[in-house]
Amino acid sequence: MSFEVAADAYDRFMGRFSEPLAALFADVAGLRPGQRVLDVGCGPGALTAQLVDRLGAENVSAVDPSAAFVAAAGERFPEVDVRSAGAENLPFADGQFDATLAQLVVHFMADPVAGLREMARVTRRGGTVAACVWDNAGGTGPLAAFWAAVRGLDPAAIDESELPGGAEGQLAELCEAAGLERIESSTLPVSVPIASFDEWWQPFTLGVGPAGVYVAQLTDQERDNLRARCAELVPVGPFELSATAWCVRARA
């Protein structure tokens, strides 16, 4: 799945959820002052911001395959080493980091096991490798209402529930297959205030991720039908949208 979209579009679509998630995820990673850490699939920098605040920009590196996101993260964090790369081919030497983290990335990796194995390679022996993914299969991810509306109108539509890591236990299984050790699983709950239905709906029209791609290929009438169906499932507003992510922490 390509994320060659404007950084602002991604922030409006997922940033409102990924920013509070990043704080919880960084807590689980157990980072300590002086450690060097890598943010894999950094996007515009939701998790990178947390890492910089906790460890200092000089101790943070980040990668992403999207040129737009690399540019945005580099502009936002000029002292961070931000590079263009995918998880499966990280441009760093063995054992270079104390911790390597991937937030909302594993399910979009071309080869999740290879990506996690590569994350372990660049982490020192005994260091931390951690990842989190929304509960896409269990229906408590932030896009659950959208995909429920899609399935109601288009039962053959391919949603995000089958992507790797989005079901209970799958992240741990992927880590085990990648050779990681001392794998610990947890859940990360977030709750985000939404002012109105329109505020909730509009980011789906920006072409971001599988949901945005699905909306973009609809006809005007089909898009109107989907919006109306979503309005039946989502409160008018204001409301709180709660979501849960699966999380693993392991040792390289």
Side-chain angles (χ1 to χ4, degrees):
M1 170 56 61
S2 172
F3 281 88
E4 291 297 343
V5 295
D8 177 67
Y10 183 85
D11 281 336
R12 292 173 61 191
F13 178 71
M14 189 53 65
R16 53 189 170 173
F17 305 107
S18 58
E19 289 178 5
L21 178 65
L24 299 176
F25 185 38
D27 286 343
V28 169
L31 304 174
R32 300 187 303 277
Q35 289 186 321
R36 296 195 64 211
V37 63
L38 173 64
D39 182 0
V40 175
C42 64
L47 177 60
T48 311
Q50 283 289 327
L51 302 179
V52 168
D53 286 346
R54 296 173 188 229
L55 302 174
E58 69 278 6
N59 291 317
V60 178
S61 296
V63 299
D64 199 281
S66 165
F69 291 171
V70 169
E75 182 176 351
R76 184 177 180 187
F77 310 104
E79 297 180 3
V80 170
D81 178 12
V82 184
R83 307 187 192 184
S84 177
E88 297 85 354
N89 188 24
L90 297 173
F92 301 101
D94 295 357
Q96 194 166 337
F97 300 98
D98 298 293
T100 303
L101 282 57
Q103 173 171 296
L104 306 180
V105 174
V106 170
H107 53 317
F108 292 125
M109 291 180 183
D111 185 337
V113 172
L116 289 164
R117 187 180 295 121
E118 185 73 346
M119 289 171 63
R121 180 189 65 78
V122 301
T123 307
R124 65 170 175 79
R125 181 66 175 170
T128 298
V129 175
C132 64
V133 171
W134 293 122
D135 175 26
N136 293 319
T140 68
L143 310 184
F146 171 83
W147 286 117
V150 169
R151 290 192 299 272
L153 296 172
D154 182 8
I158 299 174
D159 60 19
E160 298 179 48
S161 63
E162 298 298 322
L163 294 177
E168 184 173 7
Q170 285 186 353
L171 272 180
E173 292 171 358
L174 292 169
C175 287
E176 184 175 2
L180 296 170
E181 302 175 349
R182 295 173 59 185
I183 301 166
E184 303 172 0
S185 299
S186 60
T187 56
L188 305 178
V190 299
S191 184
V192 176
I194 305 294
S196 66
F197 172 79
D198 284 340
E199 180 184 287
W200 176 87
W201 165 258
Q202 203 278 332
F204 288 100
T205 68
L206 301 178
V208 182
V213 170
Y214 181 84
V215 172
Q217 56 85 38
L218 297 175
T219 65
D220 289 346
Q221 184 60 59
E222 289 170 336
R223 191 174 299 115
D224 289 345
N225 291 342
L226 177 58
R227 187 185 187 283
R229 179 57 180 153
C230 286
E232 297 174 0
L233 302 179
V234 177
V236 174
F239 62 96
E240 291 279 328
L241 198 160
S242 297
T244 303
W246 305 114
C247 179
V248 292
R249 173 181 170 178
R251 298 299 178 191

